[in-house]
Amino acid sequence: MDAISKASKSATLTIGNESWDLPVMAGTIGPDVIDIGKLYGQTGMFTYDPGFTSTASCESQITYIDGDAGVLLYRGYPIEQLAENGDFLETCYLLLYGELPTAAQKADFDFRVTRHTMVHEQMSRFFHGFRRDAHPMAVMVASVGALSAFYHDSTDISDPQQRMIASIRMIAKMPTLAAMAYKYTIGQPFVYPQNDLDYASNFLRMCFSVPCETYKANPVLARAIDRIFTLHADHEQNASTSTVRLAGSSGANPFACIAAGIACLWGPAHGGANEAALKMLGEIGSVDRIPEFIKRAKDKNDPFRLMGFGHRVYKNYDPRAKIMQKTCHEVLGELGIKDDPLLDIAVELERIALQDEYFVDRKLYPNIDFYSGITLRALGFPTSMFTVLFAVARTVGWIGQWKEMIEDPGQRIGRPRQLYTGATERDYVPIARRK
Ligand code: CMC
């Protein structure tokens, strides 16, 4: 990579009587970074930053976030403009190749993705090994990992052509697998993709059509799903993306790496928050119980947190949350849902929290997950599918980041160090002599 500027400044680290100069690197925008790559060799010390609060784990040209200003850019383009004017596959192209496609490039890309929407027929038998009540995220982790067993011809990461085919395959097949995971849990037959439909309409049809009835996706709802996919497409070095990069750094095949990302996304502090946020709104139940829950969220002895609130990077309104809120109103309007008690609770909860000193001081604002659950529920998805939709959308971001890493000639295996606080060396005690 060559976007990073040569070190123009340096930082001085002084410990006791000794000092070391550390290079300071500047990106195109955003904070400078202190290059500590040679620190251990020079000082015999590591840095300590659990949770990576102050650590840049890589150089990247894909996504930029200014958390204080509430800005999110994909390849330099504001998320608002992409969500408003483009479609999801255009965003996929942008994230993967760095530029918006021309009309011919877009048509070619759409065609390539569309040609890979089916999954190997044997996969359906693989699905039948799961319990019907399995969480669809469990099914996704397993089935995406299993793609490496079905598509051997695109697992050689040293071959650019195979990397490209694997990337397209995953973007194309994720909606099919997600819909299969859903259909399986509700006991309905799998619906094959229909390639004359756009990406979002095809997904809705695979989820909600049944063989005995004609199905036509509502274009307003399909547009909403497409926009939700765009909003979730990438988010720089979050937990799941870092997982994908770390897994990929060992040379693991791309399907295995994306499966690792899905596993990480599942947690309630990450992609599982949309499911958790909706459950929380249901638990609150009515507007008059909001103060009770705000009080609990502020109580350090209570593990309860306001789900869909707060973010490691955004210390301002999450720009995706604003678009999601608008999309939520559009979807409810299209479906003629005039009164959604959960939306009423969400709006009031947001209003109260944004005025509360606790949330104001800590800069805790609604994140994307605050309104996505209400929207997805209105679209007909059960809560267990929310994180699955996130995974469908984030696949392109994971792949783009994985591809960027693999194509970096300086790439090495990721291997963090630790501050060891365990027992010092001691001798083995035979079991009969242990107390
Ligand atoms: N409710 C109540 N207090 C909170 C919340 C919350 N949702 N989030 C943070 N805080 C408090 C926290 O207790 C701490 O207070 P204090 O300084 O007094 O100890 C302070 O705010 C800083 O929190 P933190 O835990 O150090 O922040 P973090 O950057 O480690 O965590 C987070 C970020 C997103 C995990 C956290 O805000 C959270 O758990 N939010 C709820 C879950 C959620 O909505 N996650 C979705 C994130 S967006 C989608 C995605 O990227 O996957």
Side-chain angles (χ1 to χ4, degrees), residues 144-361:
V144 173
L147 289 176
S148 45
F150 286 91
Y151 299 98
H152 303 269
D153 58 343
S154 53
T155 52
D156 177 359
I157 62 160
S158 64
D159 178 348
Q161 178 70 7
Q162 290 199 30
R163 288 201 299 269
M164 191 274 290
I165 293 173
S167 306
I168 299 286
R169 275 185 169 146
M170 272 185 281
I171 294 168
K173 294 183 198 311
M174 279 297 278
T176 312
L177 293 175
M180 287 170 81
Y182 173 54
K183 287 295 196 191
Y184 187 72
T185 58
I186 56 169
Q188 289 185 0
F190 299 139
V191 177
Y192 286 106
Q194 190 178 312
N195 287 346
D196 58 355
L197 294 177
D198 62 83
Y199 195 84
S201 303
N202 189 28
F203 179 57
L204 285 175
R205 183 180 162 276
M206 287 190 288
C207 288
F208 298 123
S209 72
V210 285
C212 42
E213 282 171 25
T214 312
Y215 179 89
K216 188 163 173 356
N218 176 325
V220 175
L221 304 186
R223 176 78 188 114
I225 281 286
D226 192 82
R227 197 178 299 134
I228 290 169
F229 286 163
T230 299
L231 295 181
H232 287 87
D234 194 44
H235 214 226
E236 54 118 309
Q237 309 312 322
N238 55 82
S240 57
T241 302
S242 298
T243 302
V244 170
R245 277 189 179 255
L246 199 55
S249 77
S250 73
N253 78 70
F255 303 108
C257 296
I258 301 307
I262 296 171
C264 178
L265 185 75
W266 195 357
H270 192 6
N274 48 18
E275 186 175 344
L278 195 80
K279 278 191 183 139
M280 176 195 73
L281 294 174
E283 211 188 318
I284 296 175
S286 62
V287 169
D288 56 300
R289 290 191 67 206
I290 292 174
E292 179 195 325
F293 281 83
I294 295 264
K295 197 167 160 229
R296 283 187 61 195
K298 296 189 315 190
D299 180 356
K300 292 291 161 214
N301 298 316
D302 188 330
F304 175 76
R305 283 189 164 197
L306 276 196
M307 299 315 285
F309 251 78
H311 198 274
R312 169 61 61 81
V313 181
Y314 293 118
K315 302 301 167 199
N316 200 327
Y317 214 100
D318 180 341
R320 303 168 301 169
K322 283 190 194 141
I323 308 166
M324 185 57 82
Q325 190 186 32
K326 185 169 161 248
T327 305
C328 181
H329 286 290
E330 279 170 18
V331 166
L332 296 187
E334 176 66 16
L335 293 171
I337 303 173
K338 293 205 174 54
D339 227 3
D340 182 337
L342 294 193
L343 181 63
D344 295 345
I345 296 170
V347 169
E348 185 60 7
L349 184 61
E350 176 185 344
R351 193 189 66 75
I352 295 176
L354 291 182
Q355 290 174 359
D356 189 295
E357 204 181 315
Y358 174 94
F359 293 90
V360 174
D361 287 355

